[in-house]
Amino acid sequence: MRRSSYVDAEGGAVALPTQVSPPQVAVSDVAPSAVVGADVVAIPVLPGPDGPTLGPGAAELLDELDADLFGLLDAFSVTGAVGEVVEHPVLDTTGLSNPDLRVLLLVGVGDGTPDDLRRAGATLARRTRGRLSVATSLAALCDDAGIRALVEGLVLGSYEFHWRSDGPSTQPVGRVVLAGLVGADDRRDVVRRALAVAGAGWRARTLALVPSNVKNPVWLAEQASEAATAAGLQVKVWDEKALAADGFGGILGVGQGSDNPPRLVRLDYTPKRGGRKAPHVVLVGKGITFDTGGLSIKPRDNMMTMKRDMTGAGVVLAVMAALADVDCPVRVTGLLPLAENSVGARSTRPGDVLTHFGGRTTEVTNTDAEGRLVLADALAYAVAELEPDVLVDIATLTGAMKTSLGQKTGGFFATDDALAATLRTASLASGEPLWRMPLVADYEERISSKVADADNAGGGPGAITAALFLQHFTGGLPWAHLDVASVGDSPVDEYEYSKGATGFGARVLLYWLEQREPLAGVQG
Ligand code: BES
Ligand code: ZN
Ligand code: ZN
């Protein structure tokens, strides 16, 4: 019997070690200094023309605490810029309303824009690792968008993935109390949405970080089924036999070099209101659980991060599981084409021709351009079977996108200007910026093939020709293609991004799909 690589010596499944959990977040209208049980209090510092000022909550603290906070600002040349934190130990708790207080943090919030607050939240999360509870007035001056960003930054800045025998290196702060909030009760829904969106980013990140000796297509399909069942979604999974029976030649062609067989997962969400009559969005996520390049093998260094080549599928899974939590008003189907692009006796060879779902053919001139082969099948299936109003795919598709945009901005293509504008706006609001790229039809001849309907790796410009290749499978429907190869990976810990996989895309898609009319203005 063939043993898959994610069983141990006894044939049992290798379980992921228990991972850290995000902090709990609560709201309160009392001042942070009055939150009993908090070992940390964090007060905002605002920049100003006459020097920095202390934000809400400071006055109450100064009444109780014998500390020269203004002297502290001076001594550390604090400006109030985002990323600044000054720490002041509390050694004597006599006379404090909160006897558990140990540390006071002064946190720069810059101009207080959502971007600043997201970063301030992440900075605070990093400085309070290992603490029990922090009470902060950082949210006291915020509107709803600011609270969303702050909480999302707090949660994602707490992120860690580990596989150490002795457990995670640190624990995130256990609890965050957003104190001094006027009308705290009315802000709970905003906090709830922020936690859903940040939780989706957290999940997408973890899925991308799981090593590929565990994360093969079967494992990822199981994760999708479990998450979907917990979230009340319908699930359907194609195994390799069903894929062959239905003609998914792209997914099979990419997966056939591996001992780990491919899968296709379909997840369906129906909103409470509007039900089956609501507009229908189909999301497709590239799910290559490891990309060696196949027989057109990658150089050693380029292969290093390729366990993350399923980021698109991880994002779609995480988004699907969070749709109900953000009250998404449209129907959404998620398709996850999952395959391992491996080197083996049965691998697809350069020059082989594959037949996609629905009959279109592709000459595979480079087996490393595999993402478009699996996406093509899923897009063709969506067009033929699902009657979508809008198609969106997300994929770590091309190194060319990384060259074009670097690692802080993702690229996207769109056939519809309203869809493009909505996605761009959602990307800026969510902190996952996307830049629109052109679908230049003049490059179409570069993906033409002498023998098949298209060549999978005709030539440059690489991100554009990849998009043109996919466009043939979209049936002329409004379509957007997010190429997140550039941003699937962060080279350093920076604000809400932790070094390594980013799960980029979960937040932007949820910011889009939680809108009251996500398809407003899109031409049907
Ligand atoms: N998974 C890669 C793209 C990638 C590169 C993702 C870097 C993340 C970081 C994709 O399958 C690939 O190898 N694309 C090739 C296509 C080429 C052979 C036409 C590329 O971009 O080099
Ligand atoms: Zn590849
Ligand atoms: Zn790839």
Side-chain angles (χ1 to χ4, degrees), residues 402-478:
K402 206 164 164 177
T403 310
S404 310
L405 295 177
Q407 288 187 272
K408 292 182 196 263
T409 299
F412 79 108
F413 299 81
T415 56
D416 182 281
D417 289 344
L419 180 60
T422 311
L423 284 171
R424 165 85 177 147
T425 307
S427 83
L428 294 180
S430 70
E432 293 182 328
L434 289 172
W435 184 256
R436 188 177 182 184
M437 305 284 285
L439 284 158
V440 183
D442 280 347
Y443 297 132
E444 189 65 44
E445 34 101 13
R446 304 209 177 158
I447 56 164
S448 68
S449 158
K450 282 217 165 65
V451 298
D453 296 333
D455 179 330
N456 79 325
I464 299 178
T465 52
L468 291 173
F469 177 94
L470 293 175
Q471 194 177 3
H472 287 282
F473 295 89
T474 60
L477 292 169

Side-chain angles (χ1 to χ4, degrees), residues 291-294 296-303 306 309 368 370:
D291 185 9
T292 64
S296 317
I297 196 164
K298 284 183 182 296
R300 178 174 52 203
D301 288 349
N302 296 12
M303 213 188 284
M306 284 302 137
D309 211 21
D368 196 12
E370 81 299 334

